[in-house]
């Protein structure tokens, strides 16, 4: 059967979903005239692919149950309206891959828009929670699995001969994301009888990187791209974020989680007032010059035991904040932002061994990248990496994977010409992706494309004080801001958000469009957004 399907596609014959499940169309909202039945979905293969199968199932209104997929728990999304669930499986002939594109089409109340969802860690797409949320908000929505695995499953890295599976890596890097856009637009047009009025991409972390890949490589796919905490410079930062473990292992010093928290608390206290007010938030951790050696000799109460911070502890934290360097002192990448959570399960995680002694516990994503893609030895023990070996691995990853998955091309001229808009926010206390990487990329784009004002016409970045990795999701109407920019030409000067200060209190703040920064006006409640204004900073 599969051979006949591939032959049909090669001959230009479109595949149609084989299951007949008629559904009624209510024709509400801004939706097109009468939609086709859920079964009559026709898909032509995107360039370079073959369609292996198309399946369509009419889903009744109710709760969408998303199974537990480690490290995320199960989710149950209530009150999801009826939708047509379409799955299109693609392959690249001769490569042996099987990438699924999922498209959900609300049967009533379609708002005329496509929202495609990105992935996280080593997962290329969404498993249902995001799709359900998008349908509840009236979107036709899509995602792809790129033919790879789940969040922390990197078993697809190497083929049966122990070589990097370049086909799947290309899929994960950008190829499948573009093909998902092509397929989703076809499915929408076939089902509703007209194309989507606007197409949006929405992702954070890996999803943020995918959004940048779309802007750089396929600038006509989306009218608006929401790409938050983007994992750009993947070939570099994935190795760089193993640095905290390399430091601890080479220095033979493993601070406790309690000690890491003490360093962060002291740094935030020392640098809190740099924006003009003590409000529990550090506006720009890159300006914070707190020296961790100030805590040497401090005694802490940690899980019922008294612990004294040593000079060795301070030296480790100093190196982690500073970021990876070569033996000669050349800076390779930015460090973990001051104030970002270092302790387990994050980048400087430590756990007691069988003897009760603390040992490093590497975060699984950079660990897997170095072991499977760079060393090509999935069982490689990253705790054995010396400083010299770290530099070599960093350079190797750059050389082998920069062009494939670096996603750091600053030439966005084609995206600007297409009329697209790119909006990004990034937490200033991101514990997994150094915020400075996003800042540096934006600066490169400015240099390449005529300065900040010209770049602001189509690409804006907002930095969120106190926010951890992807933690601003749901705390700001970022997609609404992007839609207003795309559809009404209303460029966002600020991005209203709810932040959490160092005491756990929620405060309102209007995030400033980079390079502007927020400054306290000298009066008013520090928890109120209107007590601050956006000003042009002195570059540091």
């Amino acid at each position: 059967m599969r051979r006949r399907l591939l032959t049909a596609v090669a001959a230009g014959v479109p595949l149609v979903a084989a299951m007949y499940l008629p559904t009624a169309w209510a024709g509400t909202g801004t939706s097109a005239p009468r939609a086709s039945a859920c079964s009559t979905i026709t898909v032509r293969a995107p360039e370079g692919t073959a369609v292996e199968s198309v399946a369509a199932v009419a889903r009744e209104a109710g709760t969408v149950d998303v199974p537990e997929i480690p490290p995320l728990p199960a989710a149950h999304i209530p009150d999801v309206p009826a939708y047509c669930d379409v799955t299109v499986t693609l392959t690249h002939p001769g490569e042996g891959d099987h990438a699924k594109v999922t498209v959900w089409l609300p049967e009533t109340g379609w708002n005329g828009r496509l929202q495609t969802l990105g992935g996280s860690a080593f997962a290329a797409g969404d498993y249902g929670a995001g799709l359900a949320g998008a349908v509840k908000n009236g979107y036709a929505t899509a995602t792809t699995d790129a033919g790879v695995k789940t969040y922390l499953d990197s078993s697809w890295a190497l083929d049966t001969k122990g070589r990097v599976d370049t086909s799947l890596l290309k899929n994960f890097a950008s190829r499948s994301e573009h093909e998902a856009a092509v397929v989703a637009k076809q499915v929408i047009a076939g089902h509703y009888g007209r194309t989507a009025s606007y197409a949006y991409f929405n992702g954070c972390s890996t999803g943020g990187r995918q959004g940048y890949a779309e802007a750089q490589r396929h600038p006509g796919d989306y009218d608006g791209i929401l790409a938050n905490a983007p994992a750009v410079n993947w070939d570099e930062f994935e190795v760089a974020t193993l640095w905290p473990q390399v430091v601890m292992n080479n220095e033979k010093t493993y601070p406790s989680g309690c000690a890491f928290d003490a360093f962060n608390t002291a740094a935030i206290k020392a640098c809190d007032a740099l924006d003009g007010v003590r409000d529990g938030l550090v506006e720009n951790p890159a300006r914070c010059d707190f020296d961790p050696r100030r805590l040497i000799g401090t005694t802490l109460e940690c899980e019922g035991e008294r612990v004294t911070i040593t000079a060795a502890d301070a030296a480790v934290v100093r190196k982690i904040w500073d970021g990876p360097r070569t033996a000669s002192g050349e800076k390779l990448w930015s460090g973990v932002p001051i104030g970002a959570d270092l302790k387990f399960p994050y980048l400087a995680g430590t756990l007691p061994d069988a003897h009760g002694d603390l040992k490093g516990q590497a975060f699984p994503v950079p660990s897997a990248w170095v072991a499977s893609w760079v060393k090509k030895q999935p069982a490689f023990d990253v705790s054995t990496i010396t400083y010299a070996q770290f530099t070599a691995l960093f350079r190797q990853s750059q050389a082998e994977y920069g062009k494939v998955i670096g996603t750091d091309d600053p030439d966005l001229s084609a995206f600007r010409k297409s009329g697209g808009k790119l909006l990004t926010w990034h937490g200033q206390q991101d514990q997994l992706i150094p915020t400075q990487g996003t800042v540096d990329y934006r600066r490169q784009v400015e240099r390449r494309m005529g300065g900040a004002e010209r770049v602001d016409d189509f690409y804006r970045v907002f930095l969120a004080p106190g926010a951890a990795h992807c933690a601003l999701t749901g705390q700001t109407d970022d997609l609404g801001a992007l839609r207003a920019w795309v559809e009404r030409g209303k460029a966002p000067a600020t991005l209203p958000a709810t932040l959490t200060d160092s005491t756990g209190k929620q405060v309102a703040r209007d995030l400033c469009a980079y390079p502007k920064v927020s400054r306290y006006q000298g009066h008013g409640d520090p928890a109120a957004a209107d007590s601050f204004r956006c000003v042009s900073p002195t570059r540091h």
Side-chain angles (χ1 to χ4, degrees):
M1 177 62 178
R2 178 183 171 193
R3 185 185 300 272
R4 291 201 300 273
L5 293 179
L6 294 178
T7 302
V9 172
V13 179
L15 285 186
V16 180
M19 188 180 302
Y20 182 65
L21 292 170
T23 58
W25 176 256
T28 62
T30 59
S31 55
R34 190 174 188 82
S36 65
C38 186
S39 62
T40 56
I41 305 296
T42 302
V43 178
R44 289 186 179 275
E47 183 179 358
T49 74
V51 178
E52 291 189 306
S53 64
V54 180
V57 179
R59 305 289 188 188
E60 295 182 354
T63 297
V64 170
D65 296 313
V66 181
E68 177 185 4
I69 302 175
L72 298 185
H76 308 283
I77 316 301
D79 305 318
V80 179
Y83 61 94
C84 180
D85 178 357
V86 181
T87 302
V88 179
T89 304
L90 303 175
T91 188
H92 296 87
E95 298 185 26
D97 61 330
H98 312 282
K100 292 182 180 179
V101 178
T102 300
V103 186
W104 287 8
L105 307 154
E107 292 292 5
T108 59
W110 178 46
N111 65 18
R113 300 172 179 89
L114 163 65
Q115 182 185 165
T116 300
L117 302 174
S120 178
F122 288 119
D126 182 72
Y127 291 101
L131 294 168
V135 168
K136 288 179 69 171
N137 287 317
Y139 291 90
T141 184
T143 198
T144 179
D145 69 1
V148 298
K149 303 291 184 179
T150 57
Y151 303 111
L152 301 180
D153 187 345
S154 57
S155 61
W156 54 273
L158 306 178
D159 62 21
T160 55
K161 296 182 179 179
R163 300 172 301 193
V164 171
D165 193 320
T166 56
S167 178
L168 291 181
L169 184 59
K170 287 178 183 178
N171 284 359
F172 179 68
S174 64
R175 183 167 63 174
S176 287
E177 208 56 65
H178 167 62
E179 290 160 359
V182 173
V183 167
K185 291 176 181 179
Q186 282 192 55
V187 170
I188 287 170
H191 186 69
Y192 293 120
R194 71 169 175 90
T195 58
S197 299
Y198 298 98
Y200 294 96
F201 181 88
N202 186 351
C204 192
S205 192
T206 286
R209 186 196 60 76
Q210 291 167 323
Y212 275 69
E214 282 291 285
Q216 293 167 20
R217 302 183 182 189
H218 304 285
D221 280 354
Y222 293 99
D223 302 293
I225 295 175
L226 182 61
N228 302 319
V232 296
N233 305 108
W234 179 283
D235 56 307
E236 295 163 316
F237 100 83
E238 281 298 1
V239 182
T241 48
L242 200 58
W243 176 250
Q245 295 292 323
V246 173
V247 170
M248 291 190 298
N249 289 326
N250 280 269
E251 303 299 327
K252 302 294 189 292
T253 299
Y254 304 91
S256 66
C258 180
F260 281 129
D261 284 345
F263 283 109
N264 271 333
T265 298
I268 291 171
K269 183 178 180 180
C271 297
D272 188 356
L274 292 177
D275 60 355
V277 65
R278 291 194 176 278
D279 59 352
L281 294 170
V282 177
E283 173 70 24
N284 182 4
R287 291 182 59 206
C288 182
D289 59 358
F290 175 77
D291 188 339
R293 290 176 294 188
R294 290 168 57 181
L295 262 62
I296 294 173
T298 301
T299 300
L300 309 172
E301 188 76 24
C302 294
E303 298 181 358
E305 297 184 7
R306 295 187 69 79
V307 175
T308 300
I309 291 178
T310 66
D313 293 331
V316 162
V317 172
R318 195 177 187 191
K319 280 179 174 285
I320 290 173
W321 281 346
D322 180 57
R325 292 182 182 269
T326 65
S328 63
E330 177 191 352
K331 195 169 183 64
L332 295 172
W333 202 249
S334 299
V336 181
I338 289 177
D341 195 353
L342 290 167
K343 64 182 181 296
F344 182 82
Y346 302 119
L347 300 182
T350 56
L351 288 176
D353 62 13
H355 305 289
D357 299 320
L358 287 176
K359 297 296 180 184
Q361 186 73 21
F363 191 71
V365 178
S367 176
W369 177 257
V370 168
S372 294
W373 279 272
V374 184
K375 291 291 291 184
K376 287 114 181 136
Q377 301 171 29
F380 175 72
D381 184 359
V382 297
S383 71
T384 64
I385 298 173
T386 65
Y387 285 131
Q389 289 170 336
F390 177 87
T391 298
L393 291 168
F394 186 89
R395 300 296 192 204
Q396 181 186 347
S397 185
Q398 284 179 308
E400 292 185 6
Y401 300 108
K403 292 182 179 179
V404 180
I405 199 171
T407 325
D408 54 1
D409 183 357
D411 184 0
L412 296 177
S413 54
F415 183 71
R416 177 172 63 186
K417 186 177 180 180
S418 75
K421 308 298 182 187
L422 172 59
L423 190 154
T424 290
W425 55 254
H426 202 147
Q428 288 279 35
Q429 289 184 3
D430 193 314
Q431 73 276 36
L432 297 177
I433 299 178
T435 315
Q436 199 61 35
T438 298
V439 173
D440 289 345
Y441 175 80
R442 161 73 196 214
R443 289 176 178 172
Q444 291 172 39
V445 175
E446 290 176 10
R447 289 194 292 269
R448 180 64 178 263
M449 302 189 64
E453 290 187 7
R454 292 195 67 192
V455 173
D456 276 347
D457 287 343
F458 70 95
Y459 170 33
R460 298 198 176 196
V461 171
F462 299 85
L463 303 178
H469 186 62
C470 292
L472 207 60
T473 301
Q475 302 300 309
T476 182
D477 186 13
D478 46 9
L479 185 56
L482 180 61
R483 277 178 49 174
W485 194 9
V486 169
E487 299 174 24
R488 304 200 306 273
K490 184 181 178 183
T494 61
L495 190 63
T498 300
L499 304 178
T500 303
D501 68 17
S502 58
T503 68
K505 177 184 176 182
Q506 289 194 327
V507 299
R509 183 69 61 85
D510 290 338
L511 307 182
C512 303
Y514 180 87
K516 290 188 175 182
V517 296
S518 181
R519 287 290 180 268
Y520 184 61
Q521 298 193 73
H523 55 84
D525 183 357
D530 58 9
S531 298
F532 295 79
R533 60 190 177 93
C534 295
V535 300
S536 297
T538 301
R539 282 280 175 93
H540 288 262

